[in-house]
Amino acid sequence: MRSALRYWNPEAETMPRERLRLLQLERLRDRLAWVYERVPFYRDQLDKAGLTPADVRSLPDLGKLPFTKKGDLRDNYPAGLFALPLTDCVRVHASSGTRGKPTMVGYTRSDLAAWSDVCARAIVSMGGQPGDVIQNAYGYGLFTGGLGFHQGAELMGCTVVPTSSGNTARQILMLQDLGARGLACTPSYALNLGDTMREAGIDPTSIQLRYGMFGAEPWTDELRTQIEQTIPGLKAYDIYGLSEIVGPGVSVECSERDGLHVQEDHFLVEIVDPESGLPRPYGSTGELVFTNLTKEALCLIRYRSGDICSLDDTPCPCGRTSVRMSKIKGRSDDMLIIRGVNVFPSEVEAALLAVPDVAPHYQLVISRQGALDEVEVQVEALADSADLSARLSRQLRDVLGLSCRVTVQPSKTIPRSEGKAIRVVDQRA
Ligand code: DLL
């Protein structure tokens, strides 16, 4: 019998940190020269800062370079930040633009090969093995989730069932008939799928799911527990990524589920103060900033992700040597300030799901009364409970210092997700 793989790319995943740092520096210098020669935006940026690529002699020198922001991609829509003409790309993807135009990203054949490799590493890290059947319910299309996962799973010799998102009845049929061991989708959709199976009275032993590869939106350990209770036998793992940098596979949990390993040979990660942009030490919370170390088509330098978490470079028992990210707390632009209290939707999720009788479906509705922001937390109950709303209000006040109205809605009235869940409805003008 073939022994189980521990790593997909052992050389890259277990490289001693000193060697990894040297490799990162070499790749950083090479990519800086690449974009300086080919992308007018970066040439201008560096010229204005009085720098040339040769001025970066050590990794800390990276801090001298200006940031790239989402607005820069928008201003140069569709392909102004590409280092190669569109005709040299073999594929494009785009992230859903909530404000106007989407963000367009491009890939050469070599970019796709590197992306497939990091996705294969991620699948093995979450318990996948060559030969496994993997059902991929991330949306196929411009979104990077579907095709990103697909090519990684194919590369490692899995059998991919490309269901894409939605059509829950057909998803369940495929799970039963083809016996997938791995399920890839957003965590909110996994919960929706599990709930639907339970309501339909499906025998859990007719499903062979063992691992879930869930990401593309913030979620908490409390939601992880709920998903695992809803789909017995499945272990839920977190996978992170963003289209601007590549798509899924930038970082992923291992069997320890104690942070997400960043694929640092491809993505250089920093953590900065979201306000000042100054570097923050490992262990403290801040905004993730990524620099591509190997991309050809769209190679971003110091890209402000907007995602808030912390980094940890202590050794992991799994043997991978890369730095780990904590779960994402939220986005810098999703942080709510409700009567002076700063709160992320994920903190509300963790506090709510710690209370018995509350269903794992919720929405925060924000409105403005005069000069004050009001938040109404809408939830559904698992069982009849006259004082649920009062208990939840107390919990939010005690845990988060947040005073808000909690309304318990009739069952099934909070929209169920098929992709990224909408947790916040902002009614402010
Ligand atoms: O969501 C890529 C992806 C697909 C990741 C499938 C994982 C699985 P975008 O649509 O560009 O790309 O959205 C990127 O989603 O900046 C985060 O705010 C959020 N996000 C992605 N993964 C996670 C995660 C894909 N595991 C944006 N936890 C990112 C929290 C996540 N937030």
Side-chain angles (χ1 to χ4, degrees):
M1 210 179 94
R2 195 171 43 191
S3 61
L5 292 182
R6 282 183 70 193
Y7 314 108
W8 173 252
N9 186 334
E11 158 77 12
E13 293 175 77
T14 63
M15 187 180 295
R17 284 202 69 72
E18 312 77 68
R19 239 179 72 212
L20 180 63
R21 302 300 276 174
L22 287 174
L23 178 69
Q24 287 185 313
L25 178 60
E26 185 190 317
R27 290 184 167 177
L28 172 66
R29 289 167 57 95
D30 174 64
R31 286 304 87 185
L32 281 175
W34 175 264
V35 295
Y36 190 76
E37 274 164 34
R38 292 171 178 79
V39 186
F41 170 83
Y42 279 123
R43 177 179 285 266
D44 287 355
Q45 289 257 66
L46 264 74
D47 286 351
K48 272 191 216 138
L51 295 166
T52 69
D55 291 324
V56 173
R57 295 194 187 85
S58 68
L59 288 177
D61 282 347
L62 181 67
K64 297 179 189 165
L65 301 174
F67 292 115
T68 309
K69 304 212 168 104
K70 190 156 186 106
D72 298 322
L73 283 156
R74 256 191 241 119
D75 295 346
N76 290 281
Y77 177 85
L81 294 194
F82 287 20
L84 293 169
L86 199 57
T87 46
D88 285 356
C89 296
V90 294
R91 192 183 313 154
V92 295
H93 280 286
S95 78
S96 46
T98 42
R99 284 173 222 142
K101 286 180 182 150
T103 315
M104 196 59 80
V105 297
Y107 306 80
T108 62
R109 209 174 286 289
S110 144
D111 293 339
L112 288 186
W115 186 18
S116 306
D117 188 77
V118 294
C119 281
R121 294 183 201 176
I123 294 169
V124 172
S125 176
M126 294 180 283
Q129 291 292 312
D132 282 1
V133 176
I134 288 185
Q135 187 151 319
N136 186 7
Y138 283 115
Y140 280 64
L142 284 174
F143 176 52
T144 51
L147 282 163
F149 245 94
H150 185 106
Q151 63 203 7
E154 274 192 357
L155 172 70
M156 59 178 277
C158 294
T159 307
V160 190
V161 187
T163 43
S164 192
S165 54
N167 199 340
T168 306
R170 193 179 54 186
Q171 300 276 2
I172 297 171
L173 188 78
M174 291 288 137
L175 285 175
Q176 289 181 304
D177 292 349
L178 296 173
R181 289 175 62 79
L183 171 66
C185 62
T186 58
S188 55
Y189 187 60
L191 188 67
N192 183 353
L193 201 56
D195 278 348
T196 311
M197 287 198 279
R198 204 159 48 177
E199 282 158 19
I202 289 182
D203 172 10
T205 60
S206 71
I207 303 286
Q208 275 139 61
L209 285 176
R210 292 294 170 269
Y211 51 95
M213 302 171 276
F214 304 141
E217 62 186 7
W219 57 306
T220 57
D221 282 328
E222 287 73 11
L223 190 65
R224 188 194 317 258
T225 307
Q226 299 269 358
I227 295 172
E228 291 181 347
Q229 283 168 355
T230 315
I231 310 178
L234 173 138
K235 225 173 143 185
Y237 292 89
D238 196 355
I239 171 158
Y240 166 88
L242 60 171
S243 5
E244 295 88 326
I245 292 304
V246 77
V250 171
S251 68
V252 67
E253 282 181 334
C254 61
S255 54
E256 302 295 317
R257 298 197 296 183
D258 182 23
L260 291 83
H261 289 276
V262 180
Q263 308 296 346
E264 285 185 284
D265 53 327
H266 291 289
F267 318 111
L268 184 53
V269 62
E270 300 169 80
I271 194 119
V272 303
D273 181 308
E275 299 292 324
S276 67
L278 291 172
R280 284 216 170 146
Y282 285 173
S284 60
T285 300
E287 179 180 346
L288 289 172
V289 173
F290 290 102
T291 297
N292 283 116
L293 293 176
T294 50
K295 278 272 234 50
E296 290 179 337
L298 180 64
C299 181
L300 296 183
I301 308 298
R302 299 198 86 203
Y303 181 67
R304 297 283 294 252
S305 70
D307 293 322
I308 304 291
C309 72
S310 59
L311 295 177
D312 177 5
D313 65 348
T314 60
C316 180
C318 80
R320 290 177 181 80
T321 46
S322 54
V323 109
R324 281 167 291 158
M325 304 167 20
S326 66
K327 276 177 101 60
I328 300 283
K329 273 180 96 172
R331 296 187 49 78
S332 50
D333 44 11
D334 271 358
M335 191 177 76
L336 307 169
I337 305 181
I338 310 294
R339 290 198 211 85
V341 178
N342 298 358
V343 56
F344 288 106
S346 63
E347 293 174 310
V348 176
E349 173 177 303
L352 288 178
L353 299 189
V355 175
D357 301 334
V358 69
H361 304 285
Y362 66 95
Q363 227 167 26
L364 313 184
V365 180
I366 304 163
S367 55
R368 179 157 292 160
Q369 309 290 331
L372 283 185
D373 286 341
E374 296 275 340
V375 62
E376 177 192 348
V377 179
Q378 300 183 339
V379 296
E380 289 177 15
L382 284 177
D384 277 344
S385 159
D387 68 341
L388 183 59
S389 149
R391 279 193 286 139
L392 289 173
S393 299
R394 214 175 312 126
Q395 164 83 349
L396 292 175
R397 200 183 49 238
D398 293 350
V399 177
L400 301 175
L402 181 70
S403 43
C404 59
R405 191 150 52 95
V406 178
T407 45
V408 180
Q409 308 276 100
S411 178
K412 294 268 161 87
T413 48
I414 294 174
R416 299 301 193 253
S417 132
E418 292 198 337
K420 299 193 188 224
I422 297 172
R423 300 298 195 194
V424 177
V425 179
D426 195 340
Q427 296 177 336
R428 293 171 295 188

Short mmCIF file of all heavy atoms in Angstrom, two decimals, residues 204-256:
data_model
loop_
_atom_site.label_atom_id
_atom_site.label_comp_id
_atom_site.label_asym_id
_atom_site.label_seq_id
_atom_site.Cartn_x
_atom_site.Cartn_y
_atom_site.Cartn_z
N PRO A 204 -26.40 10.07 7.74
CA PRO A 204 -25.02 10.60 7.66
C PRO A 204 -24.01 9.57 7.17
O PRO A 204 -23.00 9.94 6.58
CB PRO A 204 -24.71 11.03 9.09
CG PRO A 204 -25.99 10.97 9.85
CD PRO A 204 -26.96 10.15 9.08
N THR A 205 -24.31 8.28 7.36
CA THR A 205 -23.31 7.29 6.91
C THR A 205 -23.34 7.10 5.39
O THR A 205 -22.49 6.43 4.83
CB THR A 205 -23.54 5.92 7.59
OG1 THR A 205 -24.85 5.47 7.22
CG2 THR A 205 -23.41 5.99 9.09
N SER A 206 -24.35 7.73 4.72
CA SER A 206 -24.35 7.65 3.26
C SER A 206 -23.39 8.68 2.65
O SER A 206 -23.21 8.75 1.45
CB SER A 206 -25.76 7.85 2.70
OG SER A 206 -26.16 9.20 2.86
N ILE A 207 -22.79 9.50 3.51
CA ILE A 207 -21.85 10.54 3.06
C ILE A 207 -20.47 10.17 3.61
O ILE A 207 -20.35 9.83 4.79
CB ILE A 207 -22.26 11.92 3.66
CG1 ILE A 207 -23.69 12.28 3.29
CG2 ILE A 207 -21.29 13.03 3.32
CD1 ILE A 207 -23.87 12.71 1.87
N GLN A 208 -19.45 10.26 2.75
CA GLN A 208 -18.12 9.84 3.23
C GLN A 208 -17.16 11.00 3.49
O GLN A 208 -15.95 10.82 3.55
CB GLN A 208 -17.51 8.90 2.21
CG GLN A 208 -17.99 7.47 2.44
CD GLN A 208 -18.29 6.78 1.15
OE1 GLN A 208 -17.41 6.63 0.31
NE2 GLN A 208 -19.54 6.37 0.97
N LEU A 209 -17.70 12.21 3.62
CA LEU A 209 -16.83 13.38 3.78
C LEU A 209 -15.96 13.24 5.02
O LEU A 209 -16.45 12.92 6.10
CB LEU A 209 -17.66 14.66 3.87
CG LEU A 209 -18.26 15.15 2.56
CD1 LEU A 209 -19.13 16.37 2.81
CD2 LEU A 209 -17.14 15.49 1.57
N ARG A 210 -14.65 13.51 4.85
CA ARG A 210 -13.70 13.45 5.97
C ARG A 210 -13.04 14.81 6.24
O ARG A 210 -12.62 15.07 7.34
CB ARG A 210 -12.62 12.40 5.70
CG ARG A 210 -13.15 10.99 5.72
CD ARG A 210 -13.63 10.58 7.13
NE ARG A 210 -14.35 9.32 7.12
CZ ARG A 210 -15.67 9.20 6.97
NH1 ARG A 210 -16.44 10.27 6.84
NH2 ARG A 210 -16.24 8.01 6.95
N TYR A 211 -12.89 15.61 5.19
CA TYR A 211 -12.26 16.93 5.41
C TYR A 211 -12.95 17.99 4.57
O TYR A 211 -13.37 17.75 3.44
CB TYR A 211 -10.74 16.91 5.14
CG TYR A 211 -10.34 16.32 3.80
CD1 TYR A 211 -10.14 17.15 2.70
CD2 TYR A 211 -10.17 14.96 3.64
CE1 TYR A 211 -9.78 16.62 1.47
CE2 TYR A 211 -9.81 14.42 2.41
CZ TYR A 211 -9.62 15.25 1.34
OH TYR A 211 -9.28 14.73 0.13
N GLY A 212 -13.06 19.18 5.17
CA GLY A 212 -13.67 20.30 4.48
C GLY A 212 -12.63 21.38 4.31
O GLY A 212 -11.87 21.68 5.25
N MET A 213 -12.57 21.99 3.12
CA MET A 213 -11.54 23.00 2.81
C MET A 213 -12.28 24.32 2.64
O MET A 213 -12.73 24.66 1.54
CB MET A 213 -10.80 22.56 1.55
CG MET A 213 -10.18 21.18 1.77
SD MET A 213 -9.50 20.42 0.28
CE MET A 213 -10.97 19.70 -0.41
N PHE A 214 -12.43 25.01 3.75
CA PHE A 214 -13.36 26.13 3.80
C PHE A 214 -12.63 27.47 3.92
O PHE A 214 -11.76 27.63 4.78
CB PHE A 214 -14.32 25.96 4.98
CG PHE A 214 -15.07 24.64 4.98
CD1 PHE A 214 -15.31 23.95 6.16
CD2 PHE A 214 -15.53 24.09 3.78
CE1 PHE A 214 -16.01 22.74 6.15
CE2 PHE A 214 -16.22 22.88 3.76
CZ PHE A 214 -16.45 22.21 4.96
N GLY A 215 -13.04 28.41 3.10
CA GLY A 215 -12.42 29.74 3.16
C GLY A 215 -13.20 30.71 2.31
O GLY A 215 -14.38 30.50 2.01
N ALA A 216 -12.54 31.79 1.93
CA ALA A 216 -13.08 32.88 1.10
C ALA A 216 -13.91 33.87 1.90
O ALA A 216 -14.35 34.88 1.36
CB ALA A 216 -13.89 32.36 -0.09
N GLU A 217 -14.11 33.59 3.19
CA GLU A 217 -14.83 34.55 4.05
C GLU A 217 -14.39 34.30 5.49
O GLU A 217 -13.96 33.19 5.83
CB GLU A 217 -16.34 34.34 3.92
CG GLU A 217 -16.80 32.97 4.38
CD GLU A 217 -18.28 32.69 4.14
OE1 GLU A 217 -18.95 33.51 3.49
OE2 GLU A 217 -18.76 31.64 4.61
N PRO A 218 -14.51 35.32 6.35
CA PRO A 218 -14.11 35.10 7.75
C PRO A 218 -15.07 34.13 8.45
O PRO A 218 -16.27 34.16 8.17
CB PRO A 218 -14.23 36.50 8.38
CG PRO A 218 -14.36 37.46 7.25
CD PRO A 218 -14.93 36.69 6.10
N TRP A 219 -14.53 33.28 9.29
CA TRP A 219 -15.36 32.38 10.10
C TRP A 219 -14.62 32.07 11.39
O TRP A 219 -13.42 32.26 11.48
CB TRP A 219 -15.77 31.13 9.33
CG TRP A 219 -14.65 30.28 8.77
CD1 TRP A 219 -13.62 30.70 7.95
CD2 TRP A 219 -14.44 28.88 8.98
NE1 TRP A 219 -12.81 29.64 7.62
CE2 TRP A 219 -13.29 28.51 8.24
CE3 TRP A 219 -15.12 27.88 9.69
CZ2 TRP A 219 -12.81 27.19 8.21
CZ3 TRP A 219 -14.64 26.58 9.65
CH2 TRP A 219 -13.50 26.25 8.92
N THR A 220 -15.36 31.57 12.37
CA THR A 220 -14.79 31.42 13.71
C THR A 220 -14.66 29.94 14.08
O THR A 220 -15.23 29.07 13.43
CB THR A 220 -15.72 32.08 14.74
OG1 THR A 220 -17.01 31.46 14.61
CG2 THR A 220 -15.85 33.57 14.52
N ASP A 221 -13.94 29.69 15.19
CA ASP A 221 -13.86 28.31 15.70
C ASP A 221 -15.24 27.83 16.14
O ASP A 221 -15.53 26.63 16.08
CB ASP A 221 -12.87 28.25 16.87
CG ASP A 221 -11.44 28.26 16.35
OD1 ASP A 221 -11.20 27.73 15.25
OD2 ASP A 221 -10.56 28.81 17.04
N GLU A 222 -16.09 28.75 16.59
CA GLU A 222 -17.44 28.37 16.99
C GLU A 222 -18.23 27.84 15.78
O GLU A 222 -18.94 26.86 15.88
CB GLU A 222 -18.19 29.56 17.61
CG GLU A 222 -17.71 29.96 19.01
CD GLU A 222 -16.35 30.65 19.02
OE1 GLU A 222 -15.82 31.02 17.95
OE2 GLU A 222 -15.77 30.81 20.12
N LEU A 223 -18.04 28.50 14.63
CA LEU A 223 -18.73 28.02 13.42
C LEU A 223 -18.15 26.68 12.98
O LEU A 223 -18.86 25.80 12.51
CB LEU A 223 -18.64 29.05 12.29
CG LEU A 223 -19.54 28.73 11.09
CD1 LEU A 223 -21.01 28.80 11.46
CD2 LEU A 223 -19.29 29.69 9.94
N ARG A 224 -16.84 26.52 13.19
CA ARG A 224 -16.20 25.25 12.86
C ARG A 224 -16.89 24.10 13.63
O ARG A 224 -17.23 23.07 13.06
CB ARG A 224 -14.72 25.32 13.24
CG ARG A 224 -13.96 24.13 12.76
CD ARG A 224 -12.58 23.93 13.36
NE ARG A 224 -11.67 25.01 13.55
CZ ARG A 224 -10.62 25.28 12.77
NH1 ARG A 224 -10.41 24.59 11.68
NH2 ARG A 224 -9.80 26.25 13.08
N THR A 225 -17.11 24.33 14.93
CA THR A 225 -17.77 23.30 15.75
C THR A 225 -19.16 22.99 15.21
O THR A 225 -19.56 21.83 15.10
CB THR A 225 -17.87 23.81 17.21
OG1 THR A 225 -16.57 24.21 17.62
CG2 THR A 225 -18.41 22.76 18.15
N GLN A 226 -19.88 24.03 14.84
CA GLN A 226 -21.25 23.84 14.33
C GLN A 226 -21.22 23.02 13.04
O GLN A 226 -22.04 22.12 12.86
CB GLN A 226 -21.90 25.19 14.01
CG GLN A 226 -22.05 26.10 15.21
CD GLN A 226 -23.38 25.91 15.92
OE1 GLN A 226 -24.19 25.12 15.48
NE2 GLN A 226 -23.57 26.61 17.01
N ILE A 227 -20.29 23.33 12.16
CA ILE A 227 -20.22 22.60 10.88
C ILE A 227 -19.90 21.13 11.16
O ILE A 227 -20.51 20.22 10.59
CB ILE A 227 -19.15 23.21 9.95
CG1 ILE A 227 -19.52 24.63 9.53
CG2 ILE A 227 -18.92 22.34 8.71
CD1 ILE A 227 -18.43 25.38 8.77
N GLU A 228 -18.96 20.89 12.07
CA GLU A 228 -18.55 19.50 12.34
C GLU A 228 -19.68 18.71 13.00
O GLU A 228 -19.80 17.51 12.82
CB GLU A 228 -17.26 19.49 13.17
CG GLU A 228 -16.08 19.99 12.35
CD GLU A 228 -14.75 19.99 13.08
OE1 GLU A 228 -14.75 19.82 14.32
OE2 GLU A 228 -13.71 20.17 12.41
N GLN A 229 -20.53 19.42 13.76
CA GLN A 229 -21.68 18.72 14.35
C GLN A 229 -22.72 18.42 13.28
O GLN A 229 -23.43 17.43 13.34
CB GLN A 229 -22.30 19.57 15.46
CG GLN A 229 -21.47 19.51 16.74
CD GLN A 229 -21.89 20.54 17.76
OE1 GLN A 229 -22.74 21.38 17.51
NE2 GLN A 229 -21.26 20.50 18.93
N THR A 230 -22.82 19.32 12.31
CA THR A 230 -23.85 19.17 11.28
C THR A 230 -23.46 18.11 10.24
O THR A 230 -24.32 17.45 9.67
CB THR A 230 -24.08 20.53 10.57
OG1 THR A 230 -24.16 21.52 11.57
CG2 THR A 230 -25.35 20.55 9.77
N ILE A 231 -22.15 17.99 9.98
CA ILE A 231 -21.69 16.97 9.02
C ILE A 231 -20.78 15.99 9.78
O ILE A 231 -19.56 16.17 9.82
CB ILE A 231 -20.93 17.60 7.82
CG1 ILE A 231 -21.73 18.77 7.22
CG2 ILE A 231 -20.61 16.55 6.77
CD1 ILE A 231 -21.05 19.49 6.06
N PRO A 232 -21.34 14.98 10.42
CA PRO A 232 -20.53 14.10 11.26
C PRO A 232 -19.44 13.42 10.43
O PRO A 232 -19.68 13.04 9.29
CB PRO A 232 -21.53 13.07 11.80
CG PRO A 232 -22.89 13.61 11.50
CD PRO A 232 -22.76 14.57 10.36
N GLY A 233 -18.24 13.31 11.02
CA GLY A 233 -17.13 12.63 10.34
C GLY A 233 -16.22 13.59 9.60
O GLY A 233 -15.11 13.24 9.24
N LEU A 234 -16.70 14.83 9.38
CA LEU A 234 -15.89 15.80 8.63
C LEU A 234 -15.08 16.68 9.59
O LEU A 234 -15.59 17.11 10.62
CB LEU A 234 -16.81 16.69 7.78
CG LEU A 234 -16.14 17.86 7.08
CD1 LEU A 234 -16.66 17.99 5.65
CD2 LEU A 234 -16.41 19.18 7.82
N LYS A 235 -13.80 16.88 9.22
CA LYS A 235 -12.96 17.82 9.96
C LYS A 235 -12.84 19.09 9.11
O LYS A 235 -12.51 18.99 7.92
CB LYS A 235 -11.57 17.19 10.15
CG LYS A 235 -11.03 17.35 11.56
CD LYS A 235 -9.75 16.59 11.76
CE LYS A 235 -8.85 17.42 12.66
NZ LYS A 235 -7.52 16.88 12.85
N ALA A 236 -13.11 20.24 9.71
CA ALA A 236 -13.17 21.48 8.93
C ALA A 236 -11.85 22.25 9.04
O ALA A 236 -11.37 22.51 10.14
CB ALA A 236 -14.32 22.35 9.43
N TYR A 237 -11.28 22.59 7.89
CA TYR A 237 -10.01 23.32 7.84
C TYR A 237 -10.22 24.69 7.17
O TYR A 237 -11.08 24.85 6.32
CB TYR A 237 -8.98 22.56 7.00
CG TYR A 237 -8.54 21.27 7.63
CD1 TYR A 237 -9.22 20.09 7.38
CD2 TYR A 237 -7.44 21.23 8.48
CE1 TYR A 237 -8.82 18.90 7.96
CE2 TYR A 237 -7.03 20.04 9.06
CZ TYR A 237 -7.72 18.88 8.80
OH TYR A 237 -7.32 17.71 9.36
N ASP A 238 -9.35 25.61 7.54
CA ASP A 238 -9.41 26.98 7.02
C ASP A 238 -8.36 27.17 5.93
O ASP A 238 -7.19 26.83 6.12
CB ASP A 238 -9.14 27.96 8.18
CG ASP A 238 -9.56 29.39 7.85
OD1 ASP A 238 -9.97 29.64 6.71
OD2 ASP A 238 -9.46 30.25 8.75
N ILE A 239 -8.79 27.73 4.82
CA ILE A 239 -7.85 28.07 3.73
C ILE A 239 -8.12 29.51 3.34
O ILE A 239 -9.26 29.94 3.24
CB ILE A 239 -7.96 27.10 2.53
CG1 ILE A 239 -7.15 27.62 1.35
CG2 ILE A 239 -9.40 26.84 2.10
CD1 ILE A 239 -6.77 26.57 0.36
N TYR A 240 -7.02 30.25 3.11
CA TYR A 240 -7.12 31.69 2.86
C TYR A 240 -6.45 32.03 1.54
O TYR A 240 -5.50 31.37 1.11
CB TYR A 240 -6.41 32.42 4.01
CG TYR A 240 -6.13 33.89 3.76
CD1 TYR A 240 -7.08 34.87 4.08
CD2 TYR A 240 -4.91 34.31 3.22
CE1 TYR A 240 -6.82 36.22 3.86
CE2 TYR A 240 -4.66 35.65 2.99
CZ TYR A 240 -5.61 36.60 3.31
OH TYR A 240 -5.37 37.94 3.09
N GLY A 241 -6.93 33.09 0.94
CA GLY A 241 -6.27 33.61 -0.25
C GLY A 241 -7.01 34.82 -0.75
O GLY A 241 -8.10 35.13 -0.29
N LEU A 242 -6.40 35.52 -1.68
CA LEU A 242 -7.05 36.69 -2.29
C LEU A 242 -6.63 36.74 -3.75
O LEU A 242 -5.49 36.42 -4.08
CB LEU A 242 -6.71 37.98 -1.54
CG LEU A 242 -5.28 38.45 -1.41
CD1 LEU A 242 -5.27 39.86 -0.83
CD2 LEU A 242 -4.49 37.57 -0.48
N SER A 243 -7.57 37.11 -4.60
CA SER A 243 -7.28 37.04 -6.04
C SER A 243 -6.10 37.90 -6.43
O SER A 243 -5.31 37.51 -7.29
CB SER A 243 -8.48 37.45 -6.90
OG SER A 243 -9.54 37.90 -6.17
N GLU A 244 -5.99 39.08 -5.83
CA GLU A 244 -4.91 39.99 -6.23
C GLU A 244 -3.55 39.30 -6.14
O GLU A 244 -2.66 39.53 -6.95
CB GLU A 244 -4.89 41.25 -5.35
CG GLU A 244 -6.12 42.13 -5.49
CD GLU A 244 -7.24 41.72 -4.53
OE1 GLU A 244 -7.39 40.51 -4.24
OE2 GLU A 244 -7.97 42.61 -4.07
N ILE A 245 -3.38 38.47 -5.12
CA ILE A 245 -2.08 37.82 -4.90
C ILE A 245 -1.99 36.50 -5.65
O ILE A 245 -0.96 36.17 -6.20
CB ILE A 245 -1.83 37.65 -3.37
CG1 ILE A 245 -1.64 39.03 -2.75
CG2 ILE A 245 -0.63 36.77 -3.06
CD1 ILE A 245 -0.52 39.89 -3.36
N VAL A 246 -3.06 35.73 -5.69
CA VAL A 246 -3.14 34.55 -6.56
C VAL A 246 -4.54 33.97 -6.57
O VAL A 246 -5.08 33.59 -7.61
CB VAL A 246 -2.09 33.46 -6.18
CG1 VAL A 246 -2.48 32.66 -4.98
CG2 VAL A 246 -1.78 32.54 -7.33
N GLY A 247 -5.17 33.85 -5.38
CA GLY A 247 -6.44 33.14 -5.22
C GLY A 247 -6.32 32.25 -4.00
O GLY A 247 -5.47 32.51 -3.14
N PRO A 248 -7.10 31.16 -3.89
CA PRO A 248 -6.96 30.29 -2.72
C PRO A 248 -5.57 29.67 -2.68
O PRO A 248 -4.96 29.46 -3.74
CB PRO A 248 -8.02 29.21 -2.96
CG PRO A 248 -8.31 29.24 -4.43
CD PRO A 248 -8.10 30.66 -4.85
N GLY A 249 -5.07 29.39 -1.45
CA GLY A 249 -3.79 28.70 -1.35
C GLY A 249 -2.66 29.58 -0.86
O GLY A 249 -1.53 29.13 -0.73
N VAL A 250 -2.93 30.84 -0.55
CA VAL A 250 -1.88 31.72 0.01
C VAL A 250 -1.47 31.16 1.38
O VAL A 250 -0.29 31.12 1.71
CB VAL A 250 -2.38 33.18 0.12
CG1 VAL A 250 -1.39 34.04 0.89
CG2 VAL A 250 -2.62 33.75 -1.28
N SER A 251 -2.45 30.69 2.15
CA SER A 251 -2.13 30.05 3.43
C SER A 251 -3.21 29.04 3.76
O SER A 251 -4.33 29.12 3.25
CB SER A 251 -2.00 31.09 4.54
OG SER A 251 -3.27 31.66 4.81
N VAL A 252 -2.85 28.11 4.64
CA VAL A 252 -3.77 27.00 4.94
C VAL A 252 -3.43 26.37 6.28
O VAL A 252 -2.27 26.37 6.69
CB VAL A 252 -3.68 25.95 3.80
CG1 VAL A 252 -2.33 25.26 3.77
CG2 VAL A 252 -4.79 24.91 3.92
N GLU A 253 -4.45 25.82 6.93
CA GLU A 253 -4.21 25.10 8.19
C GLU A 253 -3.61 23.72 7.91
O GLU A 253 -3.83 23.15 6.84
CB GLU A 253 -5.52 24.91 8.95
CG GLU A 253 -5.98 26.18 9.66
CD GLU A 253 -7.27 25.98 10.44
OE1 GLU A 253 -8.08 25.10 10.09
OE2 GLU A 253 -7.49 26.73 11.40
N CYS A 254 -2.91 23.20 8.91
CA CYS A 254 -2.43 21.81 8.85
C CYS A 254 -3.24 21.02 9.88
O CYS A 254 -4.18 21.56 10.47
CB CYS A 254 -0.94 21.77 9.17
SG CYS A 254 -0.58 22.37 10.85
N SER A 255 -2.83 19.78 10.15
CA SER A 255 -3.62 18.94 11.07
C SER A 255 -3.70 19.54 12.48
O SER A 255 -4.59 19.23 13.23
CB SER A 255 -3.01 17.54 11.13
OG SER A 255 -1.65 17.67 11.46
N GLU A 256 -2.75 20.42 12.82
CA GLU A 256 -2.78 21.04 14.16
C GLU A 256 -3.92 22.05 14.30
O GLU A 256 -4.34 22.36 15.40
CB GLU A 256 -1.46 21.78 14.43
CG GLU A 256 -0.22 20.93 14.34
CD GLU A 256 -0.19 19.86 15.41
OE1 GLU A 256 -0.53 20.19 16.57
OE2 GLU A 256 0.15 18.71 15.09
#
